[in-house]
């Protein structure tokens, strides 16, 4: 038996990847509905050899029967249309930041906190792309050695800003002015993702802090983050410094990470082997390398974590959440 699935933002970078991932993973679909703005209404899209027509998203879009709606059209669209879908008994899996910190909305990475998804009230949030790839290995460390503090420094690809980010990088290489970012991203780094908050952090940094605490169920965990946009098209990288409660053996850490489904340990510096954005493009796993002791702490560890931000950081994680609900009979 298949499901009736809607995709909101079906023409976007994440939306088109939803379709690719659903197809690759043989997700059981009986009916597929594709929504975008009025600009795209009428466009045709191929899925599993069939042609589908993009519809304009309206308040009536969820009047029909639908099991799941995967949203990736920005926070404002999610805020307006997710409650409508949810009232019509559609389970929304939302890729925006609109509901992530709501107490009533589970924030799910299937390898990390699958049980939390079972309490959903028709809206489940997909975490921020950088948070997803960070918490997969952090959960392994927390279960074994208990995490005491985390410091993140990110190197985030322009595809995290959607097609507009990619355009700014490509135009910038040709010497054109940026339209999406406040400064050129070509040949540059911007320590500025999303808006600045009163405390000096950006909203992206606040997302990583709050979402890490929520997903790991450690509401008081000290977390610090600096998020940087770099001129890379696909793949976010994060340098993660972790302080652990318990003493660890570095080989034990390596073994624990390499034995965890969803993680690929890529850590052989003597042969120049470590994860890089270009080596993870199109992959669904989280890649970890440069695993080493931080000698400035009693029980400190450094990790370099890389993943495809559009796949594991967005589309794949969303589809995995839907698969989890189906497995657990919680659609
Ligand atoms: P459209 O292509 O019609 O503008 P990205 O961030 O990769 O550019 O993708 C944004 C996605 O959100 C696109 O699919 C875009 O559709 C969709 N979107 C933007 N505004 C709206 C809207 N008002 N209603 C529905 N979908 C929207």
């Amino acid at each position: 038996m298949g499901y009736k699935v809607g995709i909101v933002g079906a023409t976007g970078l994440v939306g088109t990847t939803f379709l690719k991932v659903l197809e690759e993973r043989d997700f059981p679909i009986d009916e597929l509905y594709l929504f975008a703005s009025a600009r795209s209404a009428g466009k045709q899209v191929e899925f599993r050899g069939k042609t589908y027509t993009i519809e304009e998203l309206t308040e009536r879009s969820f009047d029909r029967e639908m099991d799941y709606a995967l949203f990736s059209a920005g926070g404002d669209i999610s805020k307006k249309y997710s409650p409508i879908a949810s009232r019509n008994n559609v389970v929304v899996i939302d890729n925006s930041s609109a509901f992530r910190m709501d107490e009533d909305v589970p924030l799910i990475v299937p390898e990390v906190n699958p049980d939390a998804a079972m309490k959903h009230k028709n809206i489940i949030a997909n975490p921020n792309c950088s948070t997803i790839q960070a918490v997969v290995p952090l959960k392994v460390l927390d279960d074994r050695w208990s995490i005491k503090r985390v410091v993140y420094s990110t190197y985030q690809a322009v595809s995290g800003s959607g097609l507009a980010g990619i355009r700014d990088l490509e135009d910038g290489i040709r010497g054109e002015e940026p339209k999406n970012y406040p400064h050129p991203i070509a040949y540059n780094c911007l320590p500025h993702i999303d808006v600045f908050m009163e405390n000096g952090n950006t909203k992206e940094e606040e997302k990583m802090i709050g979402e890490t605490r929520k997903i790991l169920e450690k509401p008081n965990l000290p977390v610090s983050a600096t998020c940087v946009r770099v001129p890379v098209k696909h793949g976010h990288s994060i340098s993660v410094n972790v302080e652990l409660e318990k003493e660890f053996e570095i080989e034990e850490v390596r073994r624990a990470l390499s034995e965890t489904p969803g993680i690929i340990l890529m850590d052989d510096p003597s042969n120049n082997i470590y994860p890089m954005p270009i080596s993870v493009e199109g992959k669904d796993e989280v890649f970890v390398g440069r695993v080493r002791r931080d000698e400035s702490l009693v029980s400190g560890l450094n990790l370099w974590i890389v993943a495809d931000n559009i796949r594991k950081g967005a589309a794949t994680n969303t589809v995995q959440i839907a698969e989890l609900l189906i497995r657990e009979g919680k659609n």
Side-chain angles (χ1 to χ4, degrees):
M1 189 200 108
Y3 295 86
K4 298 181 174 65
V5 177
I7 294 184
V8 176
T11 50
L13 212 46
V14 175
T16 49
T17 311
F18 279 149
L19 291 171
K20 233 187 271 172
V21 173
L22 290 167
E23 194 154 15
E24 285 168 13
R25 299 173 77 91
D26 244 337
F27 191 94
I29 295 180
D30 278 348
E31 304 282 346
L32 181 66
Y33 306 105
L34 304 179
F35 305 104
S37 76
R39 293 180 292 275
S40 307
K43 272 193 196 158
Q44 300 207 310
V45 172
E46 289 282 314
F47 180 76
R48 288 187 187 146
K50 246 182 97 179
T51 305
Y52 293 85
T53 304
I54 305 271
E55 296 176 45
E56 179 187 357
L57 180 70
T58 71
E59 292 178 16
R60 308 298 305 272
S61 297
F62 305 97
D63 285 355
R64 71 200 96 189
E65 211 181 297
M66 208 183 289
D67 299 295
Y68 299 107
L70 314 183
F71 273 63
S72 193
D76 292 340
I77 298 292
S78 292
K79 274 192 200 130
K80 179 164 176 196
Y81 293 96
S82 303
I84 299 174
S86 140
R87 272 199 300 280
N88 284 5
N89 241 347
V90 182
V91 176
V92 172
I93 309 177
D94 180 33
N95 198 48
S96 82
S97 61
F99 304 106
R100 287 183 191 145
M101 297 310 291
D102 277 19
E103 255 179 51
D104 273 353
V105 176
L107 183 65
I108 301 298
V109 180
E111 296 92 330
V112 178
N113 60 342
D115 295 347
M118 302 309 135
K119 297 178 207 126
H120 78 79
K121 296 178 178 160
N122 282 359
I123 302 181
I124 295 183
N126 195 63
N128 166 272
C129 41
S130 296
T131 311
I132 292 177
Q133 68 184 70
V135 295
V136 174
L138 285 182
K139 171 70 174 164
V140 178
L141 302 178
D142 195 42
D143 283 350
R144 273 288 283 281
W145 295 280
S146 188
I147 292 176
K148 198 167 160 188
R149 178 172 185 254
V150 179
V151 181
Y152 292 130
S153 307
T154 73
Y155 305 67
Q156 298 183 219
V158 292
S159 53
S161 315
L163 294 168
I166 294 187
R167 241 175 263 132
D168 259 18
L169 175 57
E170 288 176 344
D171 291 351
I173 290 168
R174 287 195 300 268
E176 291 172 30
E177 288 299 308
K179 294 186 191 70
N180 178 64
Y181 299 118
H183 301 284
I185 186 63
Y187 313 113
N188 202 10
C189 293
L190 308 180
H192 177 184
I193 301 183
D194 212 327
V195 295
F196 283 100
M197 314 292 285
E198 246 175 42
N199 66 2
N201 279 342
T202 59
K203 202 165 164 197
E204 183 84 353
E205 289 154 357
E206 290 292 329
K207 285 178 205 165
M208 284 196 82
I209 295 166
E211 294 178 25
T212 298
R213 291 175 177 154
K214 179 167 173 175
I215 297 165
L216 295 178
E217 294 175 8
K218 292 176 89 106
N220 301 315
L221 182 69
V223 183
S224 177
T226 300
C227 294
V228 180
R229 188 73 70 193
V230 296
V232 165
K233 269 195 194 172
H234 299 284
H236 288 356
S237 307
I238 316 178
S239 161
V240 184
N241 179 258
V242 196
E243 190 173 359
L244 298 165
E245 298 277 1
K246 298 181 193 156
E247 267 302 302
F248 64 87
E249 290 298 327
I250 201 77
E251 277 315 313
E252 279 295 301
V253 170
R254 282 210 182 87
R255 186 169 323 127
L257 292 170
S258 68
E259 286 172 351
T260 302
I263 295 179
I264 294 182
L265 186 69
M266 216 178 173
D267 195 20
D268 183 7
S270 58
N271 287 308
N272 298 340
I273 291 174
Y274 34 74
M276 296 177 288
I278 52 170
S279 46
V280 310
E281 189 179 340
K283 305 262 170 56
D284 288 318
E285 296 87 357
V286 172
F287 292 74
V288 185
R290 304 292 320 277
V291 179
R292 66 204 192 277
R293 199 172 275 284
D294 172 2
E295 292 170 346
S296 73
L297 293 168
V298 175
S299 199
L301 188 67
N302 282 313
L303 307 173
W304 175 249
I305 303 172
V306 187
D308 185 323
N309 51 303
I310 300 297
R311 291 189 66 109
K312 183 58 186 166
T316 302
N317 198 71
T318 303
V319 173
Q320 286 171 328
I321 293 172
E323 290 171 343
L324 167 71
L325 298 178
I326 291 173
R327 251 194 332 271
E328 301 293 330
K330 279 293 282 184
N331 62 304

